[in-house]
């Protein structure tokens, strides 16, 4: 008899919730050994703007955006891609950069007839979102980056800004293969990490969500850090909202301030109190409020007095 998997059951529940919210699963062969899976609206309404939600390192896109799809569907045509080597997306090509990930996202969006969009990216998904905005200036209208350390420099590891001392150590935690490493990841991802999670569940989650494409995911993280310098980061011109957890231990808040300085008047930083890196899990309602304000209620990044310079929000 097959072993019951709680992770697989939750995955099926997320699929049902995405479908119930008005999305359908679509897998597309891009023709060069690259296959992209994306959740797309069952009906694309032309009068609504389009919003792309891009996930970070971890489980597939459903696990990271399940709290957001339903409330966002009322105002947007929501598209939720699985990045390469997550979910059902993969490539036979050797490229591992966020630039290539962004190009694949744009290609699959074009294949679905979408040419102009707003983008929200969390963590690694923010790197991809930033690259989308940089490469496709006329296609991306607004950008929201959540705890995405795109202004990271390779020297930050050496100078002790991050919790880890090397890329290899980062890989061992971000791609956990043991319950001990999974607990380390939870500890640095959450402001208040859950205690007492059974080892059997952690093993189940690792088996179901963290084992496939392991080498390729390692290469994605390695490519992210290689020769990274702020001086090489292009300055995007789209209105950009930066949202950061006050106690982010993966990409510390200083990286948010650094990115705001880099982008100048086009970007504003909001800090969310009592949250860590996984703000989509810890503070989904607060996060959604900022999405709505920035993407729907105003055409400006944020009003004066509601952002940056240590501004906190509950």
């Amino acid at each position: 008899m097959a072993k019951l998997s709680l992770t697989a059951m939750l995955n099926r529940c997320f699929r049902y919730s995405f479908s119930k919210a008005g999305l359908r699963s679509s897998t597309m062969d891009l023709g060069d050994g690259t296959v992209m899976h994306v959740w797309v609206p069952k009906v694309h309404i032309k009068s609504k703007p389009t919003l792309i939600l891009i996930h970070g390192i971890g489980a597939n896109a459903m696990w990271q955006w399940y709290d957001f799809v339903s409330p966002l569907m009322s105002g947007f045509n929501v598209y939720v891609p699985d990045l390469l080597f997550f979910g059902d997306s993969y490539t036979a090509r050797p490229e591992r950069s966020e630039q290539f990930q962004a190009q694949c996202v744009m290609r699959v969006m074009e294949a679905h007839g979408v040419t102009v969009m707003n983008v929200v990216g969390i963590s690694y998904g923010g790197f991809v979102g930033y690259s989308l905005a940089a490469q496709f200036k006329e296609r991306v209208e607004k950008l929201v980056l959540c705890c995405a350390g795109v202004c990271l420099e390779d020297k930050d590891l050496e100078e002790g800004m991050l919790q880890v001392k090397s890329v290899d150590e980062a890989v061992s935690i971000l791609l956990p293969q043991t319950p001990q490493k999974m607990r380390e990841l939870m500890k640095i991802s959450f402001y208040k990490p859950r205690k007492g999670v059974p080892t059997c569940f952690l093993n189940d989650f690792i088996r179901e969500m963290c084992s496939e494409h392991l080498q390729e995911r390692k290469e994605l993280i390695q490519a992210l850090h290689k020769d990274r310098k702020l001086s090489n980061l292009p300055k995007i011109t789209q209105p950009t909202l930066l949202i950061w957890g006050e106690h982010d231990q993966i990409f510390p808040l200083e990286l948010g301030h650094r990115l705001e300085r880099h982008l100048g008047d086009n970007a504003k930083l909001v800090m969310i109190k009592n949250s860590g890196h996984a703000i989509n899990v810890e503070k989904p309602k607060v996060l959604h409020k900022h999405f709505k304000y920035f993407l729907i209620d105003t055409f400006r990044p944020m009003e004066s007095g509601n952002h940056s310079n240590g501004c906190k929000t509950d």
Side-chain angles (χ1 to χ4, degrees):
M1 180 182 295
K3 183 182 292 186
L4 181 66
S5 169
L6 179 58
T7 304
M9 290 177 61
L10 287 171
N11 203 60
R12 288 192 292 271
C13 289
F14 293 149
R15 290 186 70 89
Y16 174 76
S17 69
F18 270 46
S19 179
K20 188 177 180 182
L23 299 181
R24 64 178 177 86
S25 174
S26 172
T27 302
M28 185 165 293
D29 189 337
L30 299 183
D32 59 355
T34 301
V35 172
M36 289 289 290
H37 173 264
V38 58
W39 287 92
V40 304
K42 293 177 181 177
V43 178
H44 183 103
I45 301 173
K46 291 184 178 180
S47 61
K48 289 183 179 181
T50 292
L51 178 62
I52 316 299
L53 301 177
I54 307 180
H55 67 85
I57 299 288
N60 62 48
M62 293 186 297
W63 286 72
Q64 301 186 40
W65 294 119
Y66 65 88
D67 273 328
F68 298 86
V69 166
S70 184
L72 288 170
M73 285 290 288
S74 61
F76 296 93
N77 294 300
V78 177
Y79 290 76
V80 190
D82 279 317
L83 295 175
L84 295 173
F85 307 117
F86 298 91
D88 294 325
S89 297
Y90 61 90
T91 185
R93 293 178 58 168
E95 290 94 333
R96 298 292 182 263
S97 68
E98 69 262 36
Q99 289 80 14
F100 182 64
Q101 290 271 20
Q103 291 161 13
C104 291
V105 170
M106 184 56 71
R107 288 171 64 191
V108 78
M109 294 307 299
E110 290 174 341
H112 284 285
V114 177
T115 57
V116 178
M117 63 204 72
N118 299 281
V119 176
V120 174
I122 187 164
S123 192
Y124 176 71
F127 287 76
V128 178
Y130 193 98
S131 185
L132 271 170
Q135 293 186 71
F136 306 101
K137 297 178 177 63
E138 305 303 320
R139 305 285 186 86
V140 176
E141 293 184 316
K142 290 184 178 182
L143 178 65
V144 180
L145 301 178
C146 306
C147 299
V150 298
C151 57
L152 181 73
E153 297 192 276
D154 50 10
K155 67 178 183 179
D156 291 329
L157 276 173
E158 302 168 6
E159 294 177 356
M161 174 183 282
L162 309 183
Q163 287 287 316
V164 296
K165 301 297 188 294
S166 68
V167 175
D168 287 342
E169 185 182 354
V171 166
S172 73
I173 296 174
L174 295 175
L175 303 175
Q177 296 301 297
T178 67
Q180 178 185 353
K181 288 297 182 181
M182 180 63 77
R183 290 190 173 97
E184 285 184 44
L185 177 60
M186 294 168 64
K187 183 178 179 180
I188 66 172
S189 297
F190 294 93
Y191 174 59
K192 292 184 177 180
R194 291 186 178 181
K195 298 179 180 180
V197 179
T199 298
C200 60
F201 176 72
L202 297 179
N203 277 322
D204 179 58
F205 185 84
I206 291 167
R207 183 173 59 252
E208 294 288 328
M209 291 292 160
C210 305
S211 300
E212 194 173 16
H213 298 304
L214 182 59
Q215 180 57 37
E216 291 85 353
R217 293 183 188 185
K218 288 180 180 179
E219 292 166 3
L220 294 178
I221 296 173
Q222 290 164 349
L224 207 61
H225 287 268
K226 186 177 181 181
D227 300 325
R228 195 167 195 98
K229 292 180 173 59
L230 182 61
S231 59
N232 295 332
L233 185 69
K235 290 188 177 182
I236 59 174
T237 57
Q238 296 92 337
T240 302
L241 177 62
L242 312 175
I243 307 178
W244 234 270
E246 180 183 14
H247 302 282
D248 192 334
Q249 297 183 71
I250 292 180
F251 292 127
L253 180 60
E254 169 54 31
L255 293 177
H257 289 292
R258 182 189 293 176
L259 184 56
E260 184 184 34
R261 292 191 296 268
H262 179 72
L263 294 178
D265 292 340
N266 289 322
K268 299 301 175 184
L269 173 65
V270 171
M271 181 177 70
I272 299 181
K273 290 193 300 182
N274 302 325
S275 62
H277 185 72
I279 52 176
N280 55 321
V281 178
E282 292 188 298
K283 300 287 185 177
K285 292 181 180 179
V286 176
L287 209 54
H288 176 258
K289 180 187 72 173
H290 286 291
F291 291 172
K292 181 177 182 294
Y293 178 84
F294 178 67
L295 296 170
I296 298 177
D297 295 345
T298 180
F299 289 96
R300 292 161 287 117
M302 290 292 279
E303 291 182 353
S304 177
N306 289 335
H307 62 264
S308 192
N309 298 323
C311 173
K312 301 179 182 181
T313 180
D314 292 324

